[in-house]
Amino acid sequence: MQNPAKQRGRSALRARNVRIHHRRTSVKLEPAFWDALEAVAVREGTSVNDLCSRIHDKAAGYGLTAAIRVFVLAYGWSRRYDAAIGAVPVGNLPAAS
């Protein structure tokens, strides 16, 4: 069975503009990743733009979209910012809390 979004010629990804150190860029993520990234920002008392800037700095040449996915997954796994940012860009999950 084919994905309904693909049947209509649309992607499940959603593009949003984020600011990386005051420079605008477009990032495409699945809606669940955007929701999770927003929840992390609220929990950490910061903005999505600030989180993306920190993730970008840590990714150091790796793809930003993949780095954001790794960060969100690691944060959901550990519930700790330091553990999640430490997983970028390597992709190894931190110890579960």
Side-chain angles (χ1 to χ4, degrees):
M1 183 170 165
Q2 195 175 24
N3 179 335
K6 293 279 186 188
Q7 288 175 348
R8 292 187 300 272
R10 294 178 29 204
S11 171
L13 300 175
R14 297 292 174 252
R16 285 184 44 182
N17 289 322
V18 296
R19 292 201 174 269
I20 306 296
H21 302 298
H22 306 290
R23 184 173 174 189
R24 190 177 73 170
T25 189
S26 179
V27 175
K28 289 183 181 180
L29 291 169
E30 295 79 2
F33 279 98
W34 284 120
D35 292 346
L37 191 62
E38 289 169 358
V40 171
V42 168
R43 182 177 169 147
E44 295 296 324
T46 191
S47 68
V48 168
N49 290 335
D50 187 47
L51 276 181
C52 288
S53 292
R54 292 187 222 168
I55 294 166
H56 171 268
D57 292 348
K58 183 70 175 169
Y62 290 86
L64 178 60
T65 301
I68 291 170
R69 284 188 182 104
V70 166
F71 173 83
V72 169
L73 180 63
Y75 191 93
W77 183 261
S78 68
R79 297 283 187 216
R80 292 181 20 243
Y81 171 81
D82 60 329
I85 201 70
V88 175
V90 181
N92 294 330
L93 287 178
S97 51

